[in-house]
């Protein structure tokens, strides 16, 4: 196929008016308000309902809320969660009736799709999706978050129910 | 013996049931499930949970003891004013049972509400969750939210009943199944309820905790998570576990079992119903004896003189060395374990036929029997070993002959299938005299240490095959897990060995592409199994 060259007018061929028009457009923006963001140093402001990476939380008494019931492991669509069930130290009196706590809790962040099913299904309100959506690392193994890391990210959940107190 | 049948109607369906059948079983015949907790077909009837309430009507009888007919010519049925429990009511002629009327449903909802009053919210940490009758029936008849505003009754948790069982009294629904099992089946009357009313608590008689070989059956019997197996406690949720029908390989009774595994790890074994063998029980010795399957020391690669080798090299080496031993005029002997499947023992015997040697035996293993399930013969397949011609008569009687042959230097090669030759009496000094010691086993031991060639086999949970129990019932095992590493089912190893030896001896090698074909050949050559096919052996086995 042969492409026909457009016929240029004198003005077009002068070239200068186009350059000036372009420069004028750029100059117009200089005094205006900036909307460029320095991502990733500068984060987005997200809506409260935004679902990011899942984390584990502790209750107000500092105890791990998760009881390793493995429902989240069962429900997770991409099978990102792996729970190694464990027993809780019997000697601690306040938490004596909880009995179970995960030995390890692994979420593979390369698999997680931030769907929130785990938070939805958890009978103990122990897993919450926080707003961090950009989980990065240099190695795959860095993106396998273990119990300690997940608890650190999750922090304390201010649960008004305090189930462990009523046991 | 002829059994008299009676006709009755359950929810409009005509049912024929033998005299003496209770209504739960009669309804089961009609495909109707009557919810129940305390009833168990193999236990005495207690009638204490009241979950099985139904409406029962009986035909009105005239003075001539004939049913009175109504205007339509149908027998007139009189319903009682109260609901009655199905588990303790037997069928009778003309009976009419209604299991889904509003009155019955209301009664069930009431029973459920009472059962849940003091029940803890333990499902997330309860091992029974997922196979809990209370959970299941709460879905059908529960309220969704509780009307109980008072303080719940708290009872002991984590009671160590004995070293095998942990009891959580809060979860107990007081059905008394465990009490009846220990008293009537296990023969140790040690459990009972203490305190009264909502404080009733299951406890064992002080200083007399359950101490039989059948205690763990009460964990299976318990409809809720009150009795839990300490071994299985908190290890895995049941909904992840894959069930595989199997046979317990620890004595000649051959209890039918289910292996529960996930991703190559066995978590527990439970009995599987078989009225002809084990009813629905199994002994604790067999049940807990599965840890060796996931032993980290399992043999996973063939070894030639302590060095890992490929299968092809190992098999070729064995065939070559056996030919050399034969060429030198020495004898070849074999020890085939009666823990191996009949197919493996058959191939083992075939291999010795090809080697033109009859120096074969199995190692007997006896221990004390109890008068219930546990057999004195701790080999699961001695009948199979005899049928295949591996075990001498009586078993073990040729071991001394083999030992003497090695001592004299006549026997220069020994093939060991799944057996510890050293423990069986062939001392390490004797084994050192051999030119060739080939061992097929799953775990390292004194015999594999002495072996020139080690061929890694698999455990009973990783292969198919048949066991023949003491009473002559042929039963199948099925693979639940994949073989670890390069380990292969013994029947495959023996088949390849047989093919290699036949080639070296320039004999036609039989071709066994599948286990079914091995069984077909076995059935063909064994009069007792004439005409059997692999498919003939159902999940409950078949008698010889
Ligand atoms: S958010 Fe969804 S994908 Fe991620 S761990 Fe939870 S259930 Fe799995
Ligand atoms: S996070 Fe919640 S759902 Fe997941 S195992 Fe723990 S308690 Fe169960
Ligand atoms: S016994 Fe059943 S209902 Fe009760 S806590 Fe356990 S699973 Fe839940
Ligand atoms: S412990 Fe289990 S089997 Fe025994 S009475 Fe309680 S609920 Fe029934
Ligand atoms: S099953 Fe009938 S009363 Fe419990």
């Amino acid at each position: 196929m042969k492409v026909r060259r457009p016929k240029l007018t004198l003005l077009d061929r002068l070239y200068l008016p186009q350059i000036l028009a372009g420069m004028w457009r750029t100059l117009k923006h200089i005094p205006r308000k900036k909307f460029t963001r320095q991502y990733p140093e500068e984060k987005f402001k997200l809506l409260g309902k935004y679902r990011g990476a899942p984390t584990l939380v502790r209750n107000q008494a500092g105890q791990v809320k998760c009881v390793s019931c493995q429902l989240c492991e069962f429900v997770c669509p991409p099978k990102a969660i792996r729970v190694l069930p464990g027993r809780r130290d019997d000697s601690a009196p306040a938490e004596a009736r909880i009995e179970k706590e995960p030995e390890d809790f692994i979420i593979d962040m390369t698999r997680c799709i931030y769907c929130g099913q785990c938070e939805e299904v958890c009978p103990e309100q122990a897993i919450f999706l926080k707003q961090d959506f950009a989980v990065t690392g240099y190695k795959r193994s860095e993106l396998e978050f273990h119990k300690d890391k997940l608890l650190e990210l999750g922090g304390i959940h201010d649960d008004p129910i305090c189930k462990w107190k009523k046991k | 013996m002829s059994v008299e049948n009676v006709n009755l109607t359950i929810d409009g369906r005509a049912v024929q049931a033998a005299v003496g059948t209770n209504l739960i079983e009669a309804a089961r015949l009609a495909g109707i499930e009557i919810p129940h907790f305390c009833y168990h077909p193999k236990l005495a009837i207690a009638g204490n949970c009241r979950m099985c309430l139904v409406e029962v009507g009986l035909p009105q009888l005239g003075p001539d003891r004939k049913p009175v007919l109504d205007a339509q010519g149908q027998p007139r049925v009189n319903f009682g004013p109260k609901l009655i429990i199905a588990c303790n009511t037997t069928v009778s002629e003309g009976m009419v049972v209604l299991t889904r009327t509003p009155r019955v449903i209301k009664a069930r909802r009431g029973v459920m509400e009472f059962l849940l009053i003091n029940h803890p919210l333990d499902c997330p940490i309860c091992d029974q969750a997922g196979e809990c009758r209370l959970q299941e029936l709460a879905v059908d008849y529960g309220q969704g939210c509780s009307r109980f505003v008072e303080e719940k009754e708290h009872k002991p948790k984590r009671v160590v009943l004995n070293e095998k069982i942990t009891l959580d009294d809060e979860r107990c629904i007081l059905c008394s199944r465990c009490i009846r099992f220990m008293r009537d089946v296990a023969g140790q009357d040690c459990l009972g309820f203490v305190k009264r009313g909502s404080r009733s608590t299951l406890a064992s008689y002080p200083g007399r905790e359950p101490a039989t070989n059948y205690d763990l059956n009460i964990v299976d019997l318990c409809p809720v998570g009150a009795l839990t197996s300490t071994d299985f406690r908190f290890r895995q949720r049941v909904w992840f576990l894959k069930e595989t029908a199997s046979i317990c390989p620890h004595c000649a009774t051959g209890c039918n079992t289910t292996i529960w595994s996930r991703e190559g790890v066995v978590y527990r074994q439970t009995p599987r119903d078989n009225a002809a063998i084990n009813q629905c029980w199994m002994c604790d010795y067999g049940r807990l004896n599965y840890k060796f399957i996931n032993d980290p020391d399992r043999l996973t690669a063939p070894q030639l003189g302590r060095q890992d080798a490929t299968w092809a090299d190992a098999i070729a080496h064995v065939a070559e060395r056996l030919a050399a031993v034969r060429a030198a005029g020495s004898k070849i002997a074999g020890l085939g374990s009666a823990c191996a499947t009949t197919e493996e023992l058959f191939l083992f015997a075939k291999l010795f036929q090809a080697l033109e040697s009859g120096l074969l035996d199995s190692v007997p293993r006896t221990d004390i029997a109890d008068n219930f399930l546990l057999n004195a013969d701790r080999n699961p397949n001695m009948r199979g070993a005899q049928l295949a011609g591996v075990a001498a008569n009586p078993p073990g009687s040729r071991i001394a002959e083999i030992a003497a042959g090695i001592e004299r230097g006549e026997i220069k090669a020994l093939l060991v299938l799944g057996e510890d030759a050293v423990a069986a009496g062939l001392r390490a000094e004797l084994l050192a005299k051999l030119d060739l010691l080939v061992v097929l086993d799953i775990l390292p031991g004194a015999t594999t240490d002495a072996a020139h060639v080690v061929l890694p086999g698999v455990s009973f949970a990783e292969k198919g095959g048949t066991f023949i129990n003491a009473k002559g019932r042929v039963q199948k095992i099925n693979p639940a897990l994949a073989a670890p590493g390069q380990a292969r089912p013994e029947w495959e190893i023996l088949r390849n060995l047989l093919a290699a030896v036949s080639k070296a001896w320039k004999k036609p090698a039989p071709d066994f592409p599948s286990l079914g074909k091995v069984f077909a050949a076995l059935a063909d050559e064994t009069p007792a199994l004439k005409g059997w096919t692999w498919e003939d052996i159902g999940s409950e086995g078949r008698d010889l």
Side-chain angles (χ1 to χ4, degrees):
Chain A
M1 191 177 126
K2 211 169 177 183
V3 181
R4 190 104 58 85
R5 282 189 157 267
K7 225 171 165 40
L8 298 178
T9 61
L10 181 66
L11 220 58
D12 289 338
R13 274 188 289 167
L14 267 180
Y15 187 55
L16 224 54
Q18 276 75 20
I19 290 283
L20 289 176
M23 282 181 95
W24 173 237
R25 182 140 299 169
T26 313
L27 285 169
K28 244 183 10 190
H29 280 282
I30 288 177
R32 288 204 192 155
K33 210 173 137 227
K34 271 189 267 179
F35 54 79
T36 320
R37 237 177 278 236
Q38 294 302 315
Y39 183 81
E41 286 79 16
E42 201 182 319
K43 295 277 191 252
F44 292 98
K45 257 219 189 65
L46 298 163
L47 292 178
K49 288 279 170 66
Y50 184 85
R51 300 192 308 251
T55 61
L56 289 179
V57 296
R58 293 176 184 274
N59 64 21
Q60 294 94 322
Q63 299 161 344
V64 176
K65 290 190 83 186
C66 171
V67 297
S68 55
C69 75
Q70 295 180 282
L71 279 174
C72 52
E73 178 175 355
F74 182 72
V75 84
C76 176
K79 301 211 185 307
I81 302 182
R82 181 45 61 114
V83 185
L84 301 182
R87 222 162 273 250
R88 187 167 283 190
D89 180 13
D90 285 352
S91 57
E95 55 192 51
R97 280 171 181 267
I98 301 178
E99 301 184 63
K100 234 182 139 183
E101 178 183 317
E103 209 163 278
D104 200 355
F105 193 112
I106 306 152
I107 302 183
D108 186 345
M109 292 296 175
T110 62
R111 304 193 81 157
C112 176
I113 54 172
Y114 307 158
C115 67
Q117 299 274 0
C118 48
E119 179 177 331
E120 180 88 26
V121 81
C122 180
E124 300 288 329
Q125 266 126 45
I127 189 163
F128 286 91
L129 269 63
K130 292 269 151 104
Q131 300 215 318
D132 190 4
F133 57 86
V135 185
T136 52
Y138 290 105
K139 277 185 275 163
R140 271 164 200 271
S141 58
E142 278 173 33
L143 297 177
E144 236 176 41
F145 286 12
H146 287 257
K147 183 179 158 191
D148 293 339
K149 168 111 187 180
L150 291 166
L151 283 167
E152 186 193 310
L153 291 173
I156 304 275
H157 176 228
D158 217 4
D159 186 353
I161 295 178
C162 302
K163 196 170 160 186
W164 81 99
K165 278 193 188 162
K166 301 195 177 82
K167 285 246 174 173
Chain B
M1 192 178 73
S2 80
V3 184
E4 214 184 314
N5 279 334
V6 293
N7 298 296
L8 68 158
T9 329
I10 304 181
D11 287 349
R13 281 184 227 179
V15 183
Q16 253 200 355
V19 171
T21 314
N22 65 53
L23 292 184
I24 293 186
E25 294 300 332
R28 200 170 281 167
L29 292 177
I32 297 164
E33 155 103 6
I34 299 181
H36 57 270
F37 289 113
C38 69
Y39 170 74
H40 188 277
K42 295 281 188 276
L43 296 178
I45 286 166
N48 59 21
C49 73
R50 317 313 281 183
M51 194 61 194
C52 63
L53 289 168
V54 288
E55 285 197 70
V56 173
L58 290 170
Q60 189 183 340
L61 297 184
D64 55 351
R65 311 297 299 154
K66 291 259 166 58
V68 178
L69 301 184
D70 62 11
Q72 278 85 43
Q74 296 292 325
R76 189 178 291 163
V77 179
N78 288 344
F79 280 92
K82 292 215 272 181
L83 304 175
I84 60 175
I85 51 172
C87 62
N88 207 13
T89 308
T90 48
V91 294
S92 71
E93 188 63 39
M95 189 182 253
V96 177
V97 183
L98 301 174
T99 75
R100 295 213 57 95
T101 62
R103 270 176 86 202
V104 172
I105 304 283
K106 195 165 167 230
R108 287 179 191 162
R109 297 187 84 91
V111 170
M112 272 316 291
E113 189 168 11
F114 275 117
L115 282 177
L116 293 175
I117 277 182
N118 284 314
H119 200 79
L121 273 172
D122 266 357
C123 301
I125 58 161
C126 178
D127 281 320
Q128 191 82 0
E131 54 180 16
C132 173
R133 292 299 289 152
L134 193 63
Q135 268 188 335
E136 286 160 14
L137 293 177
V139 172
D140 295 344
Y141 302 105
Q143 309 269 0
C145 70
S146 172
R147 291 190 285 162
F148 192 69
V149 290
E150 289 78 6
E151 185 74 12
K152 282 196 179 208
E153 193 63 52
H154 285 306
K155 293 183 192 173
K157 285 178 102 68
R158 295 197 307 282
V159 180
V160 178
L161 208 55
N162 63 18
E163 75 281 9
K164 293 175 277 192
I165 300 171
T166 310
L167 164 69
D168 189 306
D169 264 313
E170 285 190 340
R171 298 178 197 154
C172 172
I173 56 163
L174 307 169
C175 73
S176 83
R177 276 184 181 188
C178 52
I179 301 177
R180 283 174 279 151
F181 176 86
M182 288 311 293
R183 185 189 65 204
D184 302 337
V185 184
Q188 190 199 1
D189 195 1
C190 56
L191 298 178
F193 294 132
V194 295
K195 303 195 188 163
R196 289 195 293 179
S198 60
R199 295 198 180 82
S200 293
T201 306
L202 179 82
S204 69
Y205 189 89
R208 235 200 275 162
E209 46 284 322
T212 73
N213 191 21
Y214 296 90
D215 301 343
L216 281 171
N217 288 299
I218 62 178
V219 173
D220 303 331
L221 277 175
C222 183
V224 292
L227 292 164
T228 56
S229 157
T230 307
D231 174 57
F232 179 63
R233 197 170 159 87
F234 298 162
R235 282 184 62 218
Q236 198 55 254
R237 306 317 303 260
V238 293
W239 53 77
F240 288 117
L241 300 178
K242 182 180 82 168
E243 296 166 58
T244 311
S246 188
I247 304 295
C248 172
H250 296 295
C251 88
T253 303
C255 289
N256 290 212
T257 61
T258 304
I259 298 175
W260 301 73
S261 61
R262 181 183 185 199
E263 293 172 0
V265 180
V266 177
Y267 286 93
R268 65 172 179 182
Q269 295 188 96
T270 55
R272 185 162 54 89
D273 284 14
N274 188 337
I277 313 271
N278 55 322
Q279 318 290 337
C280 39
W281 324 121
M282 74 184 290
C283 82
D284 299 350
Y285 161 72
R287 185 194 298 251
L288 296 176
N289 205 341
Y290 66 89
K291 298 275 159 76
F292 66 93
I293 300 169
N294 293 115
D295 195 312
D297 290 339
R298 281 282 298 271
L299 299 168
T300 53
Q303 287 176 0
L304 279 181
R306 317 235 138 260
Q307 299 298 314
D308 284 4
T310 64
W311 273 111
D313 287 351
I315 298 280
H317 177 81
V318 173
E320 197 181 295
R321 300 285 299 128
L322 283 171
V325 168
R326 273 307 301 253
S330 302
K331 287 187 194 160
I332 302 167
L335 272 187
S337 172
C339 296
T341 65
T342 320
E343 291 72 23
E344 287 156 12
L345 289 159
F346 167 73
L347 286 174
F348 196 62
K350 273 240 155 296
L351 181 63
F352 275 80
Q353 265 173 31
L355 295 170
E356 290 156 356
S357 165
L359 277 169
L360 276 174
D361 206 349
S362 296
V363 181
R365 242 181 228 102
T366 46
D367 210 327
I368 28 173
D370 59 17
N371 47 16
F372 190 26
L373 291 175
L374 192 62
N375 195 298
D377 180 1
R378 295 295 157 82
N379 277 316
N381 198 20
M382 191 48 93
R383 284 290 290 264
Q386 285 167 332
L387 217 61
V390 172
N393 194 16
S397 54
R398 302 193 74 174
I399 295 178
E401 189 186 323
I402 294 175
I406 301 175
E407 184 82 66
R408 286 196 300 273
E410 287 166 11
I411 298 173
K412 278 293 179 200
L414 179 68
L415 265 58
V416 181
L417 168 64
E419 197 58 80
D420 188 356
V422 175
L426 305 179
R427 287 165 290 115
E429 306 91 83
L430 279 182
L431 296 182
K433 292 186 157 203
L434 292 165
D435 282 352
L436 177 66
L437 174 59
V438 183
V439 181
L440 277 83
D441 212 335
I442 66 168
L443 282 167
T447 309
T448 54
D449 285 348
H452 302 107
V453 183
V454 177
L455 304 174
V458 299
S459 74
F460 75 101
E462 291 147 342
K463 64 187 172 192
T466 59
F467 286 150
I468 307 178
N469 82 354
K471 293 198 185 118
R473 201 175 182 88
V474 184
Q475 309 192 92
K476 266 189 202 168
I477 56 170
N478 298 296
L481 324 170
Q486 294 184 53
R488 289 286 162 271
E490 282 85 344
W491 72 268
E492 284 185 33
I493 305 175
L494 289 166
R495 172 197 63 189
N496 296 348
L497 209 51
L498 178 59
V501 164
S502 306
K503 205 168 128 207
W505 257 251
K506 305 208 168 40
K507 284 185 191 162
D511 184 27
F512 298 121
S514 70
L515 196 56
K517 288 282 188 306
V518 181
F519 184 80
L522 164 74
D524 206 40
E525 293 181 22
T526 316
L529 294 172
K530 203 89 209 151
W532 287 38
T533 65
W534 182 246
E535 288 73 30
D536 283 348
I537 313 163
S539 62
E540 300 212 326
R542 184 174 157 182
D543 283 320
L544 280 182

